[in-house]
Amino acid sequence: MREAAAEVLAIGDELTHGFAIDTNSAHIARELEQLGFVMRAFTVVSDEPHAVCDAIRNACSRAEVVIATGGLGPTEDDRTRAAAAAAAGVELRFDADSWDRIARWFAGRGVQPPERNRVQAYLPESAEVLRNDWGTAPGFAMRIDGALLFSLPGVPREMKNMLSELVLPRLRAEFGDLGTTAFHELRLLGMAEAELGQGIAHLMPSDRNPNVGITAHSGLLTVRIAARAATIDDARALAERDAAEVRAQAGAHLLYEGSERIEERAGKLLIEKGMTLALAESCTGGMVAAELAGVPGISAVLLAGYVTYADMAKVRDLEVPASLLVAHGAVSVEVAASMAVGAARRTGARLGVAVTGIAGPSGGTPEKPVGTVCFGWCLDGHAESWRLRLPDLGRRFVRERSTIEVCAAILRRL
Ligand code: ATP
Ligand code: MG
């Protein structure tokens, strides 16, 4: 299996200033890896002409295919055309066809083509035009230093369409069969990243196929396996071998497998089971409800979410006995259970789930430090509750980790 290296180049001041996040590169990389290309680098560069020219030259000297996005607009700061011409040592030429298309694009919207947009029809002499049927800026393809450079618009919708309609077919034709990459993800909760890393260290050398990595987000660990092979079936089989080893290491900590987010997974399970749910949230402030509300079809089961921050609201909305709050405090397994029972009773849901905790930075005590979170669970009238002592990694962490805990409980207990 031949190896062909590819790189992505994202161009734009908004990216290097941190005002916008480069999502184009991730999309392109996934598509190219599925074609069998090996991704070696992402570069993000400002609109500064020399920086763009250098970045193009460097990427083209290292990779066989370079896909650049951005800087094709009609304004002064859009300089990718000139930078690519400079990198190749050629001039810009006016492409009458492209200008006709731009003029027609505007005419179709009932406006005169602004003279300013003419610059978008100036392309490097040696470049081949890539028609943009989704916007004004044409893209282009050209050879620089033996590499094939594609320059696409920065607007994600235009980029995606041009990539799938024009670039990928061209790469398939030009590079033939490079094999393909299969991805597999396993999600674990409750295991330390270092411990897992030690257990599967033998799968993780950097030059190994499959490529295996671990990422952690709010306590949820993801093991990502990317396996390259000649056919998708072979690639999947290769990935599956490593997945089996990860499963063995993970044991009961394995939560689920696949690329879905945990909230999506939990929401789908509720829908599948027809399990009506009411939430009672304190420290998460509606985060669990908001995440589940992102799942299509959740209205069939999610009946209500109470955000009961103050003790008074817990008493009024969830019928938590005031005496319970006085005796144990709002962050207690007793109150968590009572909140879950109250939410289920008030709505008639089969399942009530409650979260109450100390997200910090203040409010902690020696007995209940920041990160203490109690969870209530009431299924068909049977109440349970449990407590977690989360590390104090900030308010956001405590709230996100608590939301994950609720989703994990749904996945494990239903
Ligand atoms: P075009 O090449 O289509 O003219 P441009 O870069 O010249 O694009 P901008 O106005 O800079 O035009 O960007 C258009 C939109 O595309 C902006 O919302 C910008 O944030 C977004 N964009 C540009 N590059 C990226 C990227 N790498 N990832 C995600 N969004 C991007
Ligand atoms: Mg730009």
Side-chain angles (χ1 to χ4, degrees):
M1 207 170 37
R2 181 166 106 73
E3 228 185 70
E7 291 197 19
V8 204
L9 177 58
I11 301 163
D13 285 350
E14 77 275 24
L15 304 172
T16 53
H17 284 309
F19 285 112
I21 301 287
D22 167 29
T23 53
N24 285 352
S25 298
H27 176 84
I28 295 168
R30 289 297 291 253
E31 296 288 330
L32 290 187
E33 284 195 315
Q34 269 161 41
L35 280 194
F37 285 92
V38 179
M39 298 309 301
R40 288 282 185 231
F42 287 13
T43 306
V44 179
V45 71
S46 75
D47 284 309
E48 201 279 314
H50 292 106
V52 178
C53 180
D54 273 359
I56 291 175
R57 274 206 189 118
N58 289 336
C60 287
S61 72
R62 295 182 298 238
E64 290 184 55
V65 171
V66 176
I67 303 197
T69 65
L72 296 181
T75 56
E76 198 49 48
D77 61 0
D78 292 307
R79 307 186 179 104
T80 302
R81 288 172 291 265
V90 300
E91 297 295 313
L92 288 172
R93 74 177 161 90
F94 180 70
D95 184 65
D97 278 353
S98 291
W99 176 237
D100 280 352
R101 292 189 61 80
I102 293 168
R104 261 182 286 138
W105 193 90
F106 279 101
R109 282 158 183 74
V111 279
Q112 279 288 320
E115 204 48 28
R116 185 63 244 176
N117 286 73
R118 261 184 108 80
V119 296
Q120 294 185 297
Y122 280 88
L123 299 174
E125 255 170 1
S126 51
E128 175 194 326
V129 181
L130 299 175
R131 252 174 59 173
N132 181 353
D133 288 331
W134 303 269
T136 57
F140 58 87
M142 64 192 294
R143 289 202 178 272
I144 295 181
D145 204 3
L148 193 50
L149 168 76
F150 293 91
S151 172
L152 303 178
V155 183
R157 194 181 59 88
E158 296 177 28
M159 176 281 292
K160 284 181 191 169
N161 279 311
M162 290 177 73
L163 184 76
S164 64
E165 299 289 316
L166 304 173
V167 179
L168 299 180
R170 170 82 186 268
L171 290 175
R172 256 183 227 114
E174 188 132 340
F175 285 81
D177 201 2
L178 294 173
T180 187
T181 306
F183 297 94
H184 190 83
E185 286 165 278
L186 301 97
R187 319 278 182 166
L188 292 74
L189 189 67
M191 196 172 192
E193 186 176 4
E195 187 192 346
L196 175 64
Q198 212 162 32
I200 61 170
H202 61 291
L203 304 179
M204 296 173 68
S206 69
D207 55 356
R208 182 174 173 275
N209 180 32
N211 176 267
V212 177
I214 305 175
T215 51
H217 181 69
S218 299
L220 187 68
L221 298 182
T222 299
V223 181
R224 171 192 36 75
I225 302 169
R228 269 171 47 73
T231 67
I232 188 66
D233 286 345
D234 289 352
R236 287 196 185 123
L238 201 59
E240 174 51 34
R241 253 192 358 225
D242 281 10
E245 290 208 38
V246 177
R247 268 176 224 128
Q249 285 292 332
H253 298 299
L254 181 67
L255 209 48
Y256 67 98
E257 300 183 33
S259 58
E260 285 167 311
R261 299 180 63 224
I262 187 170
E263 293 84 2
E264 216 178 322
R265 191 80 174 198
K268 281 186 182 164
L269 184 66
L270 290 166
I271 295 166
E272 204 182 290
K273 301 230 168 219
M275 179 62 66
T276 50
L277 170 70
L279 297 162
E281 300 185 60
S282 190
C283 66
T284 43
M287 194 183 260
V288 180
E291 289 291 349
L292 288 177
V295 180
I298 199 72
S299 58
V301 291
L302 179 58
L303 303 188
Y306 296 89
V307 179
T308 51
Y309 230 60
D311 285 1
M312 169 273 290
K314 293 179 178 73
V315 173
R316 187 194 61 199
D317 297 342
L318 301 170
E319 299 165 13
V320 174
S323 57
L324 209 61
L325 286 157
V326 173
H328 304 283
V331 179
S332 61
V333 285
E334 291 83 359
V335 166
S338 175
M339 287 168 70
V341 171
R345 194 169 46 212
R346 293 292 292 260
T347 57
R350 278 189 65 194
L351 177 63
V353 182
V355 191
T356 174
I358 304 161
S362 60
T365 63
E367 313 85 73
K368 293 178 184 174
V370 170
T372 304
V373 186
C374 297
F375 298 86
W377 178 273
C378 176
L379 178 59
D380 295 331
H382 302 287
E384 293 171 70
S385 54
W386 66 97
R387 186 178 70 176
L388 289 184
R389 279 271 166 87
L390 302 174
D392 178 10
L393 297 177
R395 227 175 139 72
R396 194 180 175 84
F397 171 84
V398 173
R399 297 175 66 234
E400 287 182 354
R401 175 63 182 81
S402 298
T403 300
I404 287 173
E405 181 71 11
V406 171
C407 294
I410 290 169
L411 293 179
R412 285 188 166 139
R413 290 167 173 254
L414 291 184

